[in-house]
Amino acid sequence: MKKIIYALCFAVAIQGCQPEVNYKTVRQEVIVLHDDLMANEDKLMNVKMSLDTLALTGLAKIKAQHAGYDTAAVHAQITILTTKLDSLSNQMSKWMEHFRSDVEGKSNAEAVAYFEQEKVKVKKLDSLYKVTLSESETYLKKFDIRPDTAKHHEHSMHM
């Protein structure tokens, strides 16, 4: 029992000796994650445009080449995928709208906690982007469509 108490005291003492994380470091991590995610936003728009093109003109070509093909099912899947992509884009916009890089009036610890929470949110969005983009791109490949993934814009936050 004494060993456990000594171990806990030692752990607390070690924790107390470690320097406090500066909120600017965590904020910068959030900014970098955001900037990386914005590259996926460009990719998302390209994939969405490819899906829209498939829905508007590609289905007629598919129907002409393969008379028995169920283009209604293809259209339904395109609608599902574009809805997911739109939702992700909206979630990202909402996050950016609510993100505050200025932490005036907060202690360093409060600011670190805030930016750690924001980092979790951005990582979750990044994960959702990757899954949904992969799903959409895999679907487009069935029709031999590869969205243009070239970056059109540079999006970055500066602090």
Side-chain angles (χ1 to χ4, degrees):
M1 183 67 153
K2 285 184 179 181
K3 289 181 181 180
I4 294 173
I5 293 172
Y6 287 132
L8 286 173
C9 289
F10 181 72
V12 169
I14 294 294
Q15 182 76 11
C17 293
Q18 294 177 353
E20 185 177 29
V21 176
N22 186 319
Y23 79 88
K24 291 178 182 180
T25 302
V26 183
R27 179 178 64 189
Q28 187 57 36
E29 291 171 3
V30 174
I31 303 294
V32 168
L33 288 169
H34 163 269
D35 291 350
D36 291 345
L37 187 53
M38 287 311 295
N40 281 334
E41 180 70 17
D42 285 344
K43 190 174 183 179
L44 180 144
M45 296 313 270
N46 288 324
V47 168
K48 188 172 179 315
M49 285 190 296
S50 296
L51 287 166
D52 289 343
T53 300
L54 177 59
L56 294 173
T57 59
L59 291 178
K61 290 178 186 175
I62 292 169
K63 188 100 174 156
Q65 293 172 347
H66 309 283
Y69 205 83
D70 185 1
T71 54
V74 173
H75 195 273
Q77 184 62 31
I78 290 169
T79 301
I80 289 168
L81 292 171
T82 55
T83 300
K84 286 181 179 182
L85 294 169
D86 285 339
S87 174
L88 278 173
S89 187
N90 289 337
Q91 288 177 55
M92 183 63 187
S93 293
K94 249 186 203 175
W95 178 83
M96 290 184 344
E97 187 178 309
H98 291 97
F99 177 75
R100 298 292 172 249
S101 62
D102 181 17
V103 289
E104 188 176 324
K106 292 185 179 183
S107 70
N108 185 68
E110 291 170 324
V112 167
Y114 169 74
F115 289 122
E116 288 291 348
Q117 290 173 347
E118 295 306 299
K119 188 166 43 169
V120 168
K121 291 175 189 177
V122 174
K123 284 182 176 182
K124 182 180 177 185
L125 277 172
D126 184 58
S127 178
L128 289 170
Y129 266 72
K130 287 176 181 168
V131 168
T132 306
L133 285 170
S134 176
E135 179 184 8
S136 299
E137 288 173 325
T138 299
Y139 191 74
L140 286 168
K141 284 178 187 175
K142 289 171 56 173
F143 303 99
D144 201 28
I145 299 171
R146 291 182 176 44
D148 176 18
T149 56
K151 281 188 177 181
H152 295 291
H153 305 109
E154 283 295 322
H155 301 280
S156 63
M157 295 174 70
H158 300 283
M159 294 296 128

